[in-house]
Structures are given as C-alpha cells and as structure tokens.
Amino acid sequence: MDLKHTPSSSNTNLDEFGYQQELKRTLSVKDLVIYGLIFMVPIAPMGIYGAVISVSQGMIALTYAIGMLAMFFTALSYGQLSQAFPMAGSVYAYAKLGINKSIGFLSGWMIILDYIFVPALLYIIAANSLKSLLPTIPTWIWLVGFIAINTLINAGGIAFTAIANRIFLIGELIVLAFFIILGSYGLMRGIGNGFTLKPFYDASHFNLNFVMTATSVAVLSFLGFDGISTLAEETTGGNQAVGKGILWSLLIVGALFIIQTYLAALIVPNWHSFNDLNTAFYVVAGKVGGPFLTDLTTIATILSWGFANALAAISRILFGMARDHNLPHVLARVHPRFKTPYMSTLLVAIISLLVGLTFMNDSGTLSEIVNCGALTAFLVIHIAVINHFFIKQHSHEYWHHLIVSIIGFIIIGFVMINLNVLAKEIGGIWLLIGIGYYLILRVLQRNTEMNL
C-alpha cells in the first residue's frame, strides 16, 4: 500500500473517525514543545538527584542518558501514531485504533494510573517543601492552594494554559542557567575533582542492574513528552505537529537533564557525603553559588513541582475515553466558552485532593506507583505501531514501523523489570480492576443494545 495516501501521512480530520471537532485549535509546534518542557520540568533532576545518584553509584549522567534513549524510541512511535490518528486520548486512542478497542481501553486505564497520581505527588512534594520554609502554615493549605490554582488555569482554556506554561518555563530556565554557569565556573576554579567522565562511567562501581534501577526512577522526569499527544485536537499545523513537538521537547529536556546532573556529580563527587538525599542538589548548588543559589534552586523546585503537572493531560485522556462511553459520559462535557473538558479537569482536581491528603506524609509510597502505568502503556504503543502499519497496512518502512518499535519495546521492558516490586504489584492490581470494569461495561452495553 502506498503510505502517502493513508491517514498516517495526510492531514486527516476527526470526522473520518466518527468524531466532531469540539476543542479549540490554538497550539503551534512551538507551543507543544513548551508544553512538553514545562510538563517534564527542565529542573526535575534537582528534586530527585539524591535518590538517583545513590542508586546509580554516582553514574547519574549515564542514567539520564539511558532514560532519554528509552524515551526517544517511544517518542518516535508516538509520532507515527499521532499522524495516523490525530485525536485526543493519547495511548488510549492509539491502541484502540492501532490494535483493538479492548487493548485501547486497558492501555488508557494503565496510563490513568500514572497520570492520576502524578499531580498529587507533585503537589505533596511542593507542599511539604514549603512547610520547611514556612512551618507555621499547615501543609494541607498549600496542597489545596496548588490544586485550586492549577484547576483554574487548565479550565480557563488551553491557550491560557500555554501562557502560564511559558512564564514557568522561563523561570526554570533562568535558574538552570545560573546553576550551569556558576557550576562550570566553580569547577574551573578547583571545586570538586575537575572534569571527568565518571558521572557517565566509573569502572570501579559500574553495575548494570544498579544503573537500570536508577533509570527506572529517573525516567519519571521524562514522562511529560507523551502528554503532548493528548493535545492533538487543539493543535494547528497538521498531523505532524504532535510528532515534532514530542521529539523536540524530549531531545531538549534530555540534554538539559544530562548537563545539570553531570555538573552536579562533578561538583560533589563523593555522594556518600550527603546527610539528606532529599536535599542533595541544594547542597551541591550551595557549593558553587552559596546561600543565594541554594535558596533559588529550592524555591524554583517548589514552584515547578507545584504548577508543572499532568492536569491538562489526564483530563484529555478522560475526555477521550468518556466520549467513547468507556467512562461516564459527563466527563466528555466541553465548556461552552473556554472549549475545554472542564468536568474531567474538575474530577482530576478532586482526586488529586483526596490522594494528596491520604499520602501527605508518605510521598515515597505514592512515587512507587507513578511509573508502572506509563511504561506499560509505552509497551502497547510499540505494539500498536507494528500492528497498524507493518501488519495491517503491510508497510515496507521497516525502520519506522518495525525496528524502532522493537528496540523501544526491549528497552522499556528492561526498565520495567527493574521497577520496585511494590510498583509492579500495584500496577498488576490496577490492571485486574480495569479488566473487571471493562467486562462489566461490555455486558451492560450489550444488554442496552439488545433492549433497543
């Protein structure tokens, strides 16, 4: 089949798939890149630096390089599917159309496990960090404040969200520039052990299992790129816009992750010296920038965790599944003025509040959950590419439609093997609940059709 005449390479419309254009198209490729960067958070490693460098035995730059490689192949597969199926719903829509409805539902169900907990986790971390600065104010007040502000921003329209994203992104990049400049200057002045390759490879401590376990933690920072695909019905520039936005944002933020963690590992080469791994990066910042840079990186991390979150992404996934009657149809309601899925946004806010209050003092347990769902969905994405293009359409583009997906599947699978046991157990339970819910849903729908 000549692929240039298929939906994978032309600007297909939603009506070809039985949907109407309800969401407002306002986002350019640049907006999508900004959205991806703000969601992945360019300074994300600052918050989990201590945990990752300890597990990786100091080879934190290698850990982030492997993480970017794993996500790169997955991003390529997302790009292929976003051209073929330009609609909101992300992995749910791609798996449904690329494989079948059942796999589509279960894929959407698994990605919900990740995205429904990510906002709550970020709010908890930000709220607890603020408590350390202002101990007299109860933590739950900060939690409610973060949720309320984010809900208003996202319900106000995707264009308004894009403006807010730009402001936060600029601030994060300024902080990161301060650290890179002062860190490089400090290393040239004799701080640390100078420029070496040990953050990438240290023969005396190298252990592939340790590195991959660390990668399974660090990969959390990359999960934002797939959120771009949920905005497919709000973009301009044709079907290729989403794919371009995903790749550019991933490559840019991956490079920033590697640079900042590499410099940090050089500045304080003895990671065993950290008294508290949760504040390790701020100690590093203080070595080259004093109290000014310590406070600046701390505050920037609080704000980025508190406001750069998955609220818009998960609300679009819920919107896509509800539109197909796989979730309560009320979640598919679009605001008449702002043209956003406001009921889905409100539901995410309520869930974030409940989860946040439940895990307020146990963010470690919550953080164990967030990766399993996304990585499972990524495995399905690679299968969907092979099934849709290579098997169904008999594509001869072996690199894009077969080899890339096989490599991506293997890398993601290896990362999943090294996930925490608790995360895999919770992921398995969530999947079983989803299967049960789906079977009940199908029975109810079948009975409804028989009674008509």
Coordinates of all heavy atoms in Angstrom, one line a residue, residues 62 149 179 197 294 297 325 383 403 421:
L62 N 24.9 8.9 33.1 CA 24.6 7.7 32.3 C 23.2 7.3 32.5 O 22.5 6.9 31.5 CB 25.5 6.6 32.8 CG 25.3 5.2 32.1 CD1 25.5 5.3 30.6 CD2 26.2 4.1 32.7
I149 N -5.3 26.6 42.1 CA -4.7 27.4 41.0 C -4.6 26.7 39.7 O -4.9 27.2 38.6 CB -3.4 28.0 41.5 CG1 -3.6 28.9 42.7 CG2 -2.6 28.7 40.4 CD1 -2.3 29.4 43.3
F179 N 22.8 27.9 37.5 CA 23.5 26.7 38.1 C 24.6 26.3 37.1 O 25.7 26.0 37.5 CB 22.5 25.6 38.3 CG 23.3 24.3 38.7 CD1 23.8 24.2 40.0 CD2 23.4 23.3 37.8 CE1 24.5 23.0 40.4 CE2 24.1 22.1 38.2 CZ 24.7 22.0 39.5
L197 N 34.9 11.8 33.3 CA 33.8 11.0 32.7 C 33.1 10.1 33.7 O 32.2 9.3 33.3 CB 34.2 10.2 31.5 CG 34.7 11.0 30.2 CD1 35.2 10.1 29.2 CD2 33.5 11.9 29.7
T294 N 21.4 28.1 46.7 CA 20.7 27.1 47.4 C 19.2 27.5 47.5 O 18.3 26.7 47.2 CB 21.3 27.0 48.8 OG1 22.6 26.5 48.8 CG2 20.4 26.0 49.7
T297 N 17.4 27.5 43.9 CA 17.1 26.2 43.4 C 16.0 25.5 44.2 O 15.1 24.8 43.6 CB 18.3 25.3 43.3 OG1 18.9 25.2 44.6 CG2 19.3 25.7 42.3
H325 N -17.8 6.5 25.6 CA -18.7 5.8 26.6 C -18.0 4.7 27.3 O -18.6 3.7 27.8 CB -19.9 5.2 25.9 CG -20.7 6.3 25.1 ND1 -21.6 7.2 25.7 CD2 -20.8 6.6 23.8 CE1 -22.1 8.0 24.8 NE2 -21.6 7.6 23.7
I383 N 3.7 -1.9 20.2 CA 2.9 -3.0 19.6 C 1.9 -2.4 18.6 O 1.7 -3.0 17.5 CB 2.2 -3.8 20.7 CG1 3.2 -4.5 21.6 CG2 1.3 -4.9 20.0 CD1 2.6 -5.3 22.7
I403 N 11.5 -1.8 13.3 CA 12.8 -1.8 14.0 C 12.7 -0.9 15.2 O 13.1 -1.2 16.3 CB 14.0 -1.5 13.1 CG1 14.1 -2.5 12.0 CG2 15.3 -1.4 13.9 CD1 15.2 -2.2 11.0
V421 N 9.3 -3.6 43.3 CA 8.3 -4.7 43.4 C 6.9 -4.2 43.8 O 5.9 -4.6 43.2 CB 8.7 -5.8 44.4 CG1 7.6 -6.8 44.6 CG2 10.0 -6.4 44.0

